[in-house]
Amino acid sequence: ARVVVLVSGFGTNLQALLDAVAAEGAPAYGAEVVAVGADRDGIAGLERAERAGLPVFVCRVKDHADRAAWDRALAEAVAAYEPDLVVSAGFMKILGAEFLARYGGRIINTHPALLPSFPGAHGVREALAYGAKVTGCTVHFVDDGVDTGPVIAQGVVEIRDEDDESALHERIKEVERKLLVEVVGLLARHGYRIEGRKVLIP
Ligand code: GRF
């Protein structure tokens, strides 16, 4: 499967995918990252892609008349690489109607909390503030909500008394990176069906 990854930051989830393809070989793993896109310049995620010799593209909201125009431009940029699967890995923008129309059902996202708990941009901070005893990460299909699409897999991470947001997020990311690599490989090798809120992988 041809995978385009969208990033907005450090890109360690992207790096985990790149490392899996390099270690297993695209045929055995079932997927290869063919391009990396971002909504901003100057982030480590783009450097990681360039270091891997991958094409990159940046689609900034401020370069477009409005959000819908940005969304269309992002969809066009992605289309150039003819992805089978789009992976949002720390991508901090909500994908709009046109992007979803073109790629819906083939976009997955990784979120650092156990959805439906703590959706949105501060899931780690909110789980900590809530005093939850466990949190974790969720890999799900993207739908027209915020972190609301059908769940594919989840991983549990304990919250420790001494945790602050960054320590907890790092511990979550250790689980998240493995989960994302596993899910992308499974979807790529076995295919999948989405039935309502259920994701069936034969
Ligand atoms: C991940 O934990 C992702 O779930 C969240 O932001 C983090 C991105 O990390 N949205 P990285 O850029 O992949 O290192």
Side-chain angles (χ1 to χ4, degrees):
R2 297 173 56 85
V3 177
V4 169
V5 182
L6 301 177
V7 297
S8 294
F10 203 46
T12 61
N13 279 285
L14 163 66
Q15 191 63 55
L17 288 171
L18 296 177
D19 294 348
V21 176
E24 297 185 43
Y29 180 58
E32 60 176 328
V33 179
V34 295
V36 174
D39 61 337
R40 65 197 76 182
D41 286 304
I43 53 167
L46 289 175
E47 289 166 25
R48 294 176 191 277
E50 286 161 347
R51 212 176 302 139
L54 290 175
V56 299
F57 57 89
V58 177
C59 201
R60 286 174 305 203
V61 173
K62 65 173 186 284
D63 293 344
H64 298 277
D66 56 26
R67 194 59 185 244
W70 169 81
D71 187 70
R72 186 174 314 113
L74 184 70
E76 292 297 334
V78 168
Y81 298 100
E82 298 177 333
D84 300 300
L85 193 65
V86 177
V87 176
S88 161
F91 188 65
M92 300 310 277
K93 290 284 187 305
I94 302 300
L95 296 167
E98 177 150 352
F99 196 99
L100 294 174
R102 288 179 74 159
Y103 295 106
R106 296 188 284 150
I107 314 164
I108 67 174
N109 180 50
T110 179
H111 180 74
L114 291 175
L115 295 174
S117 298
F118 312 119
H122 306 294
V124 179
R125 182 186 311 166
E126 288 169 3
L128 196 57
Y130 189 86
K133 295 301 180 186
V134 295
T135 186
C137 49
T138 303
V139 181
H140 64 95
F141 279 100
V142 173
D143 66 6
D144 57 0
V146 178
D147 299 326
T148 52
V151 173
I152 305 167
Q154 295 186 298
V156 177
V157 175
E158 65 168 9
I159 297 178
R160 297 174 184 161
D161 294 343
E162 69 274 14
D163 274 337
D164 61 11
E165 183 180 350
S166 65
L168 176 55
H169 201 165
E170 274 317 304
R171 197 171 334 112
I172 291 169
K173 285 172 83 169
E174 284 166 23
V175 176
E176 180 178 36
R177 290 190 280 261
K178 293 191 187 82
L179 197 68
L180 184 63
V181 165
E182 187 186 345
V183 164
V184 169
L186 280 174
L187 296 179
R189 293 191 302 274
H190 300 279
Y192 57 91
R193 262 194 347 271
I194 304 174
E195 291 183 2
R197 292 207 56 84
K198 283 233 171 297
V199 177
L200 306 170
I201 302 174

